Amino acid sequence: METLLEQIESGKLWQFPGGIHPPEQKTLSNQQPIARLPLPDKLILPLKQHIGANGSLLVNSGDHVLKGQALTAPGTNWSLPIHAPTSGTIEAIKPMPSAHPSALPELSIILRPDGEDKWTPLNPISDISTLDNKQLIDIIHQAGIAGMGGAGFPTYVKADSPKPIEFLVVNGIECEPYITADDRLMRERAKEIIAGVEVLQGILKPQKVLFGIEDNKPEAIAAIAAAAQHNQDILVRSVPTKYPSGGEKQLVKLLTSKEVPSAGIPADIGVLVQNVGTLFAIWQAIFEGKPLIERVVTVTGNTITQPSNVWALLGTEIKHLLDSQGFSPVEAQRVVMGGPMMGFTLPSVRIPVVKTTNCILAPDNQELVIPGDEKACIRCSACADACPQSLLPQQLQWFAKGKEYQKLEEYNLFDCIECGACSYVCPSEIPLVQYYRVAKADIREQKLEQVKAERAKERFEARKERLEREQEERQNKHKRRSAGAAPKAADKEKVQEALSRVKDKQSDKSAVQAAIARAKAKRGENGELEPDNSAIAEERAKRKAQARKYKEEKTDQPESTDKKDAVAAAIARAKAKKAAAQTAPESEPAAADDKKAAVAAAIARAKAKKAAAEDTAEPEANAAPSDKKAAVAAAIARAKAKKAAKKAEEAGKSTVEQAEAAPTESAEEDPRKAAVAAAIARAKAKKAAKEAEEAGASVSEQAEAAPTESAEEDPRKAAVAAAIARAKAKKAAKEAEEAGESTSEQAEAAPTESAEEDPRKAAVAAAIARAKAKKAAKEAEEAGASVNEQGKEANEPTAGSETDSSLTEQGAEGTSEQQQALSPEARKKAAVKAAIARAKAKKQAKEQEGNEPS
């Protein structure tokens, strides 16, 4: 059995499914050689004329360029440059209508030719053996060569195929009606085309080169066969005329019996396909150094006076081509770019020629009938029979109308080569190919959006991952810092502990040294340690000396008992005053009147004492020790009385403040309490006045007793002093009684008269009474102080012992002779009266205790 290569070498051909036989109409334009056109007024060069990305601009508006100069630089993603087709000036760079059924604007360079057609410096290669594959491919790339059969795929990408190529297939079929550009090119430039084949043959190293040409082009077959006869690896094959045998997949099937897989390319099965126009451009780029700036275009149709093939500069407007060939438009004229099967009607004749433009068809209304209205599908299956890809055109059309894009992909929509065979045979005149083109565009746009979304998602996830990583790094950094700070803190604590231990040791050392120093100081002469009891011994010696002194004084004063009694009486009076002052704050608000009465009584007693002191003679400087003791006791009693009065005043203040706050709250509750408090105040005032009167009487009796003993000197003076003292005592007692009665009457009258009208008035009256009592206490204290001051001024101290000063404080005016004249009986009488006063004071203190509110 023959191998595939042997079958190919023997000239065997295979068949592809489907296909049609439309009228060829090639004789209109293939009879004349390829013509040259005059320079157009302007050239419009879209930046994108191929499959892939645009190049980046190298020129600006106003620049002057030469023929063949690069206007853009290729980038990535199958990018190709474009070149200036002639010399001239860049008039503008702006969007212009594109060579597409939609005529959507694309960024274009507008070149105004200068008419000189001056070339840029060229770099032709005479011997390709001096260049390696990479250099050759780079020349092809920089020349901007793309597939010129209609697809516009970058040639350098195919030439740099990563997969091994078994067969290089040259497409010279040109199966579509009316188009004869490749036919005339093969006839006129066969040697150049074979030279281009040999360049690719040297790069790809295929086993065989299969040159396929339809059998309706005998002149082209002969020319290519003659040019390739020196190369045994180039096999020229005549292929039966059938549309669309020029399709890439169909031609591979015809010549090699291999089928390109769905959604695949011929390189997947070791086959590479190139168009004859592309191979001629490769020859120009390598051997002449010229970039792709022109191509052969068929201008034909019944409205063209001279249909033929022309060399058209890229960017030339379609109008210029039509006018140069004698265009005579008809009514409802259509101009089609491409053939009648795969071409599209141009929206304007101002569209430029691009790298994929191979034909401009201007038919009349009879030549290419305008399709009628679309009718319903009759399910004849003619479209399925004509499809060269074995697809289901009717089903695809339904999915395209319903925009079921997933179903379209499942039914291999992208395997459709848009040959138009289905539309050509459809009796319902359904434009099936138009449905497929729109659906393909929608699916591509949808996939592009998905790609963008996926890229955005990837960027988002990458950003999120980066932020999380940075956050984790920051946390780890903080952890490291905290971990490093912990040992530092521990080290600091250890250092502090060590320092504290050192300080403790130093303090212990200093304490030990101090103890040692004290021990050394206490050592006796014999070097033995003795206990340090010196301070205790000194205190003990002082106490013993005081005891001895006290004992001696006691033995020297036999009459100390009487003096003790006087001192005890003074102490009793002071305690009575203190008890009265302490009970005052605990009493009810009306107790302020009792304080006033007590103050008045104290004033009376002070005046009586002063009178008694005036009646007595001034003591001598060398008075007996017993009299001096009595004077000291009297001074102590006065000081205690003054202290008790001060405490009573403070207690009165607090009581007044409490009483001022209390009535506003309690007056409304029970106005009878104020009356009860007033009655208690009146009773206490009367009692205090009576006691003050009795105390004054006792003082006057003492004063009377004193002058009887000293009557020898001046009895009249003593009698007058006694009378004055009695009068003053009576007056003080009366004033105290009147003050107490008036205060009590006011306090009593307030609640009884106005309790029913306004309970607040009772509280106000009680506050006034307390204020008056407070004022009277203050005046009494000032009066007592003035009396004491007068006594101090009258009795200046004399040179002598400390007892003389105590006598001056007492304010005594009697002489030393009068003091000595007192008989023991008089002193006993005074002691009895003092005992009586003490008893009365105790009784008064008990009564006040009983009257305290619970």
Side-chain angles (χ1 to χ4, degrees):
M1 182 178 179
E2 292 181 350
T3 62
L4 177 60
L5 183 57
E6 292 175 347
Q7 292 178 4
I8 292 173
E9 289 178 348
S10 63
K12 183 178 180 179
L13 298 174
W14 289 265
Q15 296 294 324
F16 62 89
I20 57 175
H21 296 84
E24 296 180 3
Q25 301 292 334
K26 292 183 180 291
T27 57
L28 293 174
S29 58
N30 64 358
Q31 303 301 317
Q32 292 82 22
I34 302 172
R36 287 280 176 182
L37 298 178
L39 285 174
D41 294 335
K42 66 176 180 179
L43 298 170
I44 301 172
L45 301 165
L47 269 60
K48 184 176 180 180
Q49 302 183 26
H50 58 279
I51 294 175
N54 298 345
S56 57
L57 282 168
L58 297 177
V59 294
N60 298 313
S61 297
D63 292 349
H64 185 271
V65 296
L66 298 176
K67 187 175 182 178
Q69 180 179 336
L71 303 180
T72 62
T76 57
N77 297 327
W78 301 349
S79 177
L80 291 176
I82 59 173
H83 300 79
T86 186
S87 60
T89 303
I90 304 299
E91 187 176 89
I93 301 173
K94 62 181 181 179
M96 296 294 289
S98 60
H100 190 269
S102 63
L104 291 173
E106 289 184 354
L107 187 63
S108 304
I109 299 172
I110 300 175
L111 176 63
R112 183 71 61 178
D114 57 7
E116 297 180 1
D117 204 26
K118 186 177 180 181
W119 277 94
T120 187
L122 303 177
N123 297 311
I125 305 298
S126 58
D127 186 5
I128 63 172
S129 62
T130 59
L131 301 176
D132 57 12
N133 293 345
K134 185 176 181 183
Q135 291 174 326
L136 292 172
I137 292 171
D138 187 61
I139 292 172
I140 295 170
H141 186 193
Q142 295 301 324
I145 302 172
M148 299 173 72
F153 197 86
T155 304
Y156 82 95
V157 177
K158 285 187 174 183
D160 194 18
S161 175
K163 299 179 180 180
I165 300 302
E166 186 178 0
F167 300 105
L168 174 60
V169 175
V170 179
N171 189 351
I173 302 296
E174 201 173 39
C175 59
E176 189 156 359
Y178 287 96
I179 302 175
T180 60
D182 290 344
D183 184 12
R184 292 307 308 183
L185 185 62
M186 286 187 289
R187 292 185 190 184
E188 297 180 16
R189 299 296 182 94
K191 291 182 179 179
E192 289 82 353
I193 292 172
I194 295 300
V197 170
E198 290 176 349
V199 171
L200 285 183
Q201 190 178 13
I203 294 173
L204 299 172
K205 302 294 189 300
Q207 293 182 2
K208 294 292 180 181
V209 176
L210 304 179
F211 208 122
I213 305 172
E214 272 189 334
D215 55 8
N216 60 355
K217 304 177 183 63
E219 294 86 354
I221 295 172
I224 294 297
Q229 64 182 357
H230 66 279
N231 192 333
Q232 301 298 323
D233 292 331
I234 299 176
L235 303 178
V236 180
R237 295 289 181 260
S238 178
V239 177
T241 301
K242 184 181 179 181
Y243 184 84
S245 58
E248 187 177 58
K249 295 181 179 181
Q250 286 69 37
L251 183 57
V252 170
K253 177 66 175 177
L254 279 171
L255 299 178
T256 65
S257 76
K258 292 185 177 183
E259 292 186 2
V260 179
S262 176
I265 58 176
D268 295 337
I269 57 174
V271 178
L272 186 66
V273 180
Q274 288 290 357
N275 183 265
V276 293
T278 305
L279 293 171
F280 178 76
I282 290 173
W283 173 82
Q284 280 187 319
I286 299 295
F287 297 100
E288 291 186 348
K290 296 179 180 179
L292 180 58
I293 59 173
E294 62 181 0
R295 67 155 300 152
V296 179
V297 178
T298 301
V299 181
T300 187
N302 290 340
T303 59
I304 301 298
T305 305
Q306 299 173 357
S308 61
N309 293 283
V310 297
W311 286 102
L313 296 176
L314 300 181
T316 304
E317 290 183 340
I318 303 301
K319 184 178 184 301
H320 181 71
L321 270 66
L322 295 174
D323 293 342
S324 63
Q325 299 304 111
F327 177 52
S328 300
V330 296
E331 187 178 355
Q333 179 66 57
R334 289 186 299 163
V335 177
V336 179
M337 181 177 283
M341 303 298 294
M342 297 184 67
F344 56 90
T345 302
L346 292 173
S348 170
V349 293
R350 295 291 181 178
I351 302 298
V353 173
V354 295
K355 294 177 183 180
T356 57
T357 303
N358 58 0
C359 180
I360 300 298
L361 176 60
D364 57 16
N365 296 331
Q366 288 76 28
E367 185 180 12
L368 191 62
V369 180
I370 298 174
D373 295 335
E374 179 182 342
K375 302 178 182 63
C377 176
I378 61 174
R379 306 191 182 212
C380 63
S381 74
C383 56
D385 296 338
C387 181
Q389 289 292 107
S390 301
L391 300 177
L392 298 175
Q394 178 190 4
Q395 199 75 18
L396 291 174
Q397 189 252 348
W398 289 342
F399 293 147
K401 288 181 72 174
K403 296 186 178 181
E404 299 181 37
Y405 300 138
Q406 187 175 357
K407 287 286 187 180
L408 287 171
E409 293 193 63
E410 291 177 359
Y411 278 75
N412 302 319
L413 172 65
F414 284 91
D415 285 346
C416 174
I417 61 174
E418 301 178 15
C419 63
C422 53
S423 299
Y424 182 78
V425 299
C426 180
S428 297
E429 299 185 4
I430 300 173
L432 296 171
V433 176
Q434 300 305 322
Y435 282 108
Y436 304 155
R437 286 175 178 170
V438 172
K440 283 182 178 181
D442 291 342
I443 292 172
R444 288 192 185 101
E445 185 177 357
Q446 190 180 57
K447 287 185 176 180
L448 184 61
E449 292 295 329
Q450 290 178 356
V451 170
K452 289 181 180 179
E454 289 177 0
R455 289 178 180 174
K457 184 178 179 181
E458 289 176 359
R459 289 195 300 269
F460 173 76
E461 290 178 353
R463 179 178 178 274
K464 184 179 179 182
E465 184 179 357
R466 177 175 56 81
L467 293 176
E468 290 177 354
R469 186 172 61 254
E470 290 176 357
Q471 184 178 3
E472 186 177 357
E473 289 176 357
R474 286 195 297 269
Q475 291 177 354
N476 293 335
K477 189 175 180 181
H478 292 320
K479 287 180 181 178
R480 288 195 297 270
R481 284 182 179 177
S482 61
K488 289 181 180 178
D491 294 342
K492 286 183 179 180
E493 291 178 359
K494 290 179 181 178
V495 170
Q496 293 295 334
E497 290 177 0
L499 291 173
S500 63
R501 286 196 298 272
V502 170
K503 288 180 181 178
D504 293 340
K505 288 180 181 179
Q506 289 178 355
S507 61
D508 295 342
K509 191 175 182 181
S510 61
V512 170
Q513 289 176 355
I516 293 170
R518 287 195 301 272
K520 288 180 179 180
K522 292 175 183 178
R523 284 181 184 275
E525 295 178 355
N526 54 359
E528 295 180 357
L529 290 174
E530 295 180 357
D532 186 12
N533 296 327
S534 59
I536 298 172
E538 288 176 2
E539 290 178 2
R540 188 179 296 168
K542 287 180 181 179
R543 286 198 299 272
K544 286 181 179 180
Q546 289 176 358
R548 282 195 298 272
K549 186 177 180 180
Y550 177 75
K551 190 174 182 181
E552 290 173 358
E553 289 177 356
K554 190 174 182 181
T555 55
D556 293 341
Q557 297 176 2
E559 297 178 356
S560 60
T561 56
D562 296 336
K563 295 176 181 178
K564 283 183 178 180
D565 293 338
V567 171
I571 293 169
R573 285 195 299 274
K575 286 183 178 179
K577 289 178 182 178
K578 187 176 181 181
Q582 289 176 351
T583 56
E586 298 175 358
S587 62
E588 295 179 358
D593 300 332
D594 298 341
K595 293 176 187 177
K596 190 172 182 181
V599 170
I603 293 169
R605 285 194 298 273
K607 288 180 179 180
K609 288 179 182 179
K610 184 177 182 183
E614 289 175 354
D615 293 338
T616 59
E618 294 182 358
E620 293 182 353
N622 53 355
S626 59
D627 297 335
K628 293 177 181 179
K629 260 191 173 181
V632 170
I636 292 168
R638 283 196 302 276
K640 289 184 177 179
K642 189 175 181 182
K643 186 177 180 182
K646 191 173 183 182
K647 288 184 178 179
E649 183 185 358
E650 294 174 355
K653 287 180 181 179
S654 64
T655 306
V656 169
E657 291 173 358
Q658 292 175 2
E660 286 176 354
T664 58
E665 299 175 357
S666 61
E668 296 178 1
E669 295 177 0
D670 194 2
R672 296 177 184 177
K673 286 185 179 181
V676 174
I680 294 169
R682 285 196 302 274
K684 289 184 178 181
K686 287 179 180 179
K687 189 175 180 181
K690 192 175 181 181
E691 290 177 354
E693 186 178 356
E694 291 176 355
S698 63
V699 172
S700 63
E701 289 174 359
Q702 291 177 2
E704 287 175 358
T708 57
E709 296 175 358
S710 60
E712 296 178 359
E713 292 184 2
D714 196 358
R716 292 178 183 177
K717 191 175 182 180
V720 171
I724 291 169
R726 283 195 299 274
K728 287 182 178 179
K730 287 180 181 179
K731 187 178 179 181
K734 191 174 182 180
E735 288 176 354
E737 184 177 0
E738 288 175 357
E741 287 178 358
S742 63
T743 305
S744 61
E745 285 172 4
Q746 290 174 2
E748 186 176 7
T752 56
E753 293 175 1
S754 60
E756 296 176 359
E757 296 176 1
D758 191 359
R760 295 182 181 176
K761 287 184 178 180
V764 173
I768 294 168
R770 285 191 297 275
K772 288 182 178 180
K774 184 177 180 181
K775 185 176 181 183
K778 190 172 183 181
E779 290 175 354
E781 183 181 359
E782 291 174 355
S786 64
V787 171
N788 292 332
E789 288 174 0
Q790 291 174 4
K792 289 177 183 178
E793 291 174 359
N795 299 302
E796 294 179 356
T798 59
S801 61
E802 295 176 357
T803 57
D804 293 337
S805 62
S806 65
L807 291 173
T808 59
E809 291 175 1
Q810 188 180 6
E813 299 176 356
T815 62
S816 60
E817 290 84 3
Q818 289 174 349
Q819 293 290 335
Q820 291 175 359
L822 290 174
S823 63
E825 293 179 0
R827 288 197 294 273
K828 289 180 182 179
K829 192 174 182 179
V832 170
K833 288 181 179 179
I836 292 168
R838 287 195 299 274
K840 287 181 179 179
K842 287 181 181 179
K843 185 178 180 182
Q844 185 181 357
K846 286 182 180 180
E847 288 177 356
Q848 288 176 354
E849 263 181 22
N851 292 329
E852 287 180 0
S854 56

